[in-house]
Amino acid sequence: MSALMVDAQRVHKNFGTNEVLKGIDFEVASGQVVCLLGPSGSGKSTFLRCINHLEKIDAGRLYVDGELVGYRQDGDKLYELREKDVATKRTEIGMVFQHFNLFPHMTALGNIVEAPIRVKGEGKAEVHERAHELLAKVGLADRAKAYPRQLSGGQQQRVAIARALAMRPKLMLFDEPTSALDPELVGDVLAVMRDLARSGMTMIVVTHEIGFAREVADTVVFMDAGVVVESGPPQEVIANPQHQRTKTFLSQVL
Amino acid sequence: MASDLDTARERPETIRAVPVRHPWRWVALAVIAIFVAMFVHLLVANPNFDWPTVRKYLFDPLILRGVWMTIKLTLLSMAIGIIIGIVVAVMRLSSNPIVAGVAWLYVWFFRGTPLLVQITFWFAISALIKTISIGVPFGPSFWSKPTNSLITLFVTALLALSLNEGAYMSEIVRAGILAVDEGQTEAAHALGMTRLQTMRRIVLPQAMRVIVPPTGNEVNNMLKNTALVSTIGMFELLRSAEAIFNANYKTIPLLIDAIFWYLLMTSAWQVLQFYIERYYGRGSTRATSLTPIQKAKLMFAGMQHHGGIS
């Protein structure tokens, strides 16, 4: 079990009476890259948000690195975690959003150093040094002092990736990281993600970039209407889908 | 070839058209000029304005002290009101229903009753609570003093104005907080920030842009609302003027003095407010608004070209 970074067992989630996740079983081993594909409204983003407890699950069990997400189990009973403990666990999971969500009142550098200093209490000098390294890694060494509004979408998303990495997470979640970008800016962001995958980071990527999934993913999971329809290596799921729904979806996006 | 398109052809002649005439502007100007003349005549010809008296008391020490008290009350009660406003707004948005309920009740009470009633009520508080003491609730007290000696007239005025202001400010701050995109909170939470850290470091700084302009209006209102505490005998500007005209019956001249000072203060604030808003708007708009001096320069330059009204 300990080799599993994420282990979801029959996870259900409903918003009011609308059930969006209907029993998701899902495993990600340490160091693996998993791409979540599926039509919009299929529950992929919701599931991703459950993994770092931005959404509460209603049934089933969800473990990250062997620990229950959002709860503490004592015998048969589940206890809700305190806000502080939830926050501490989130520091180990990086998240990248579709709309970047950079803090507009801080520079690129300010965005990156904020959490390591304020949340983890790390030393300023050390964090700044790391932030500059990360900016160089995402190809933005010269934009440290730029405000988000002065950066292109692709640059903003790369800063957002650097911001998440600055916390030294053991798992990275990407929620449609290139969906809000102009087509010519997608490549730079995907290149950064590809490098990250090669460095051995465990990644779960919700995406519509089939090419990226085919090339980088160890496992591709196809979701529709709140269930996992099929999953497996990309050469199987993308090249030779077994289910009709997968076939239909792929024929529409390819 | 694309380059042939432009270089081969000459730019056509710049358009010089006869501008549209505006005869009604001249009519409006004439009508307004008549009214202005009538008003000036009234000011000069009516002896009851008593301009010498107006001038005599304009810088009277009692009036100046009143002006200073008005400024002091405005600044202090705004400062306290803003702090209360932030706390109450954050409480109102809390997930704890009791905390949110208390905040709601606070706003409900202080916005739902007239400020004048609240001022009078705080003034009469010693009739309700004779002594203030610190100790075990319903048990023995360790320290106690008569209410009147603790809550002076100034404290009463400050208490009334700032508690009332806090209710209005909380609504302004709440609107500012709600205007910040939810993605900001999510991103902060995903980085492991607690709700309080998120509020202080991420949400409130961004809410400022929305909070600052209406807060400026609140300061303007407060400058004028301080006149209400004259009813409990606080010597601010209006009460000072009253004290003088109660003695010499020169009501109109002294009210004109008060009006002069109120206008001076609100005008000065208006100028200050413009620059503060400009400062906080800096990050969010591409072009900053022009200062009045820049505008005047532009207008002057424009006049030379177009000859003003035509």
Side-chain angles (χ1 to χ4, degrees):
Chain A
M1 284 293 269
S2 64
L4 284 184
M5 184 55 82
V6 177
D7 183 10
Q9 300 168 2
R10 292 185 295 150
V11 168
H12 286 255
K13 166 77 192 169
N14 27 281
F15 292 114
T17 54
N18 179 25
E19 192 166 50
V20 287
L21 299 180
K22 300 169 185 165
I24 302 284
D25 287 302
F26 182 88
E27 286 178 359
V28 182
S30 224
Q32 250 199 333
V33 176
V34 175
C35 282
L36 270 173
L37 306 181
S40 50
S42 58
K44 352 179 256 308
S45 288
T46 304
F47 178 63
L48 199 71
R49 293 156 58 82
C50 288
I51 295 171
N52 69 353
H53 207 51
L54 282 178
E55 304 285 356
K56 242 185 225 176
I57 65 173
D58 293 304
R61 292 285 185 274
L62 182 52
Y63 299 89
V64 170
D65 206 12
E67 287 182 53
L68 211 51
V69 173
Y71 303 93
R72 180 170 55 80
Q73 189 159 15
D74 198 358
D76 278 348
K77 262 196 170 152
L78 281 187
Y79 296 88
E80 260 184 47
L81 286 185
R82 288 166 204 254
E83 193 205 346
K84 190 124 198 354
D85 299 326
V86 172
T88 307
K89 293 218 173 159
R90 283 186 183 135
T91 61
E92 300 172 345
I93 305 172
M95 186 156 190
V96 175
F97 299 86
Q98 182 179 359
H99 296 289
F100 332 133
N101 297 351
L102 288 181
F103 307 132
H105 57 301
M106 297 177 181
T107 60
L109 188 72
N111 267 278
I112 296 172
V113 301
E114 176 72 13
I117 293 174
R118 302 274 162 186
V119 177
K120 281 185 151 179
E122 293 183 65
K124 219 171 165 180
E126 180 201 341
V127 174
H128 274 252
E129 194 184 323
R130 192 159 83 230
H132 281 292
E133 280 167 23
L134 283 167
L135 275 171
K137 200 167 138 190
V138 300
L140 294 169
D142 54 337
R143 303 309 307 254
K145 290 206 171 76
Y147 282 89
R149 142 185 40 87
Q150 298 163 331
L151 300 170
S152 74
Q155 291 173 328
Q156 288 190 48
Q157 193 61 297
R158 284 183 279 154
V159 172
I161 293 172
R163 175 174 73 176
L165 290 176
M167 294 296 278
R168 301 194 213 266
K170 53 188 182 191
L171 168 66
M172 284 286 285
L173 308 175
F174 293 85
D175 188 4
E176 304 200 23
T178 57
S179 298
L181 296 177
D182 290 339
E184 77 270 23
L185 303 175
V186 169
D188 292 337
V189 173
L190 290 183
V192 167
M193 289 168 63
R194 202 174 289 127
D195 285 347
L196 193 59
R198 279 204 198 105
S199 74
M201 174 65 76
T202 313
M203 293 162 62
I204 303 175
V205 186
V206 171
T207 187
H208 293 296
E209 297 288 335
I210 306 295
F212 177 80
R214 186 185 300 151
E215 183 197 342
V216 180
D218 297 301
T219 305
V220 169
V221 175
F222 179 73
M223 277 178 72
D224 190 20
V227 292
V228 171
V229 176
E230 75 183 286
S231 70
Q235 54 270 28
E236 284 174 21
V237 177
I238 295 175
N240 186 23
Q242 298 303 307
H243 287 73
Q244 189 53 44
R245 273 189 286 181
T246 320
K247 285 178 191 167
T248 314
F249 174 75
L250 287 172
S251 71
Q252 279 162 350
V253 290
L254 280 175
Chain B
M1 289 242 238
S3 58
D4 290 348
L5 274 174
D6 307 311
T7 48
R9 294 169 60 175
E10 234 175 280
R11 183 174 185 273
E13 186 189 349
T14 304
I15 294 172
R16 282 181 215 285
V18 179
V20 176
R21 302 288 164 188
H22 299 286
W24 286 105
R25 287 189 187 172
W26 291 103
V27 176
L29 189 68
V31 172
I32 290 163
I34 292 169
F35 278 115
V36 170
M38 283 167 72
F39 184 66
V40 171
H41 179 256
L42 175 79
L43 290 181
V44 177
N46 190 330
N48 293 332
F49 274 108
D50 197 358
W51 294 107
T53 310
V54 170
R55 192 171 332 146
K56 185 179 163 199
Y57 287 103
L58 193 54
F59 298 102
D60 188 273
L62 193 61
I63 294 283
L64 291 184
R65 249 191 309 173
V67 169
W68 174 232
M69 180 52 82
T70 292
I71 293 173
K72 213 159 71 174
L73 276 172
T74 302
L75 293 182
L76 281 174
S77 39
M78 273 315 295
I80 301 171
I82 288 170
I83 292 168
I84 294 175
I86 293 172
V87 172
V88 172
V90 171
M91 283 170 69
R92 184 86 188 271
L93 295 169
S94 161
S95 56
N96 180 335
I98 297 185
V99 170
V102 167
W104 184 87
L105 226 89
Y106 178 89
V107 176
W108 171 77
F109 181 82
F110 284 98
R111 279 206 319 177
T113 52
L115 177 53
L116 187 54
V117 172
Q118 290 171 30
I119 290 168
T120 318
F121 189 86
W122 288 113
F123 182 63
I125 192 79
S126 62
L128 188 67
I129 300 160
K130 302 254 189 269
T131 57
I132 290 175
S133 40
I134 297 173
V136 183
F138 309 109
S141 72
F142 313 124
W143 177 93
S144 130
K145 269 209 156 164
T147 305
N148 271 337
S149 71
L150 272 177
I151 302 187
T152 61
L153 199 56
F154 182 72
V155 175
T156 306
L158 201 61
L159 204 64
L161 291 173
S162 52
L163 284 175
N164 182 267
E165 185 54 39
Y168 285 94
M169 276 310 301
S170 83
E171 288 297 284
I172 291 171
V173 174
R174 193 168 70 100
I177 291 172
L178 291 178
V180 176
D181 182 49
E182 231 182 310
Q184 294 290 311
T185 310
E186 275 182 5
H189 284 172
L191 285 166
M193 295 174 92
T194 60
R195 259 195 292 257
L196 213 64
Q197 275 175 325
T198 304
M199 187 56 73
R200 213 170 52 83
R201 298 284 308 169
I202 308 301
V203 177
L204 277 180
Q206 293 182 62
M208 283 307 279
R209 188 174 56 83
V210 179
I211 293 172
V212 165
T215 304
N217 290 340
E218 288 298 302
V219 174
N220 193 301
N221 276 339
M222 183 60 84
L223 269 167
K224 296 171 294 177
N225 281 344
T226 51
L228 288 172
V229 299
S230 67
T231 57
I232 57 170
M234 186 78 221
F235 265 76
E236 42 63 71
L237 177 53
L238 178 62
R239 185 78 188 82
S240 305
E242 274 174 2
I244 299 173
F245 71 62
N246 281 344
N248 65 10
Y249 303 109
K250 307 259 186 204
T251 310
I252 292 289
L254 276 143
L255 282 178
I256 289 175
D257 285 335
I259 288 169
F260 170 84
W261 282 108
Y262 279 122
L263 279 177
L264 192 73
M265 286 189 284
T266 50
S267 307
W269 171 248
Q270 210 173 347
V271 173
L272 211 63
Q273 187 185 354
F274 175 83
Y275 285 98
I276 295 174
E277 279 178 29
R278 201 161 169 264
Y279 174 81
Y280 278 104
R282 238 179 4 173
S284 55
T285 50
R286 266 163 229 252
T288 50
S289 47
L290 296 173
T291 65
I293 296 166
Q294 287 169 331
K295 261 191 212 159
K297 272 186 190 158
L298 268 182
M299 210 164 90
F300 184 68
M303 290 266 229
Q304 284 179 327
H305 288 299
H306 306 300
I309 331 175
S310 54

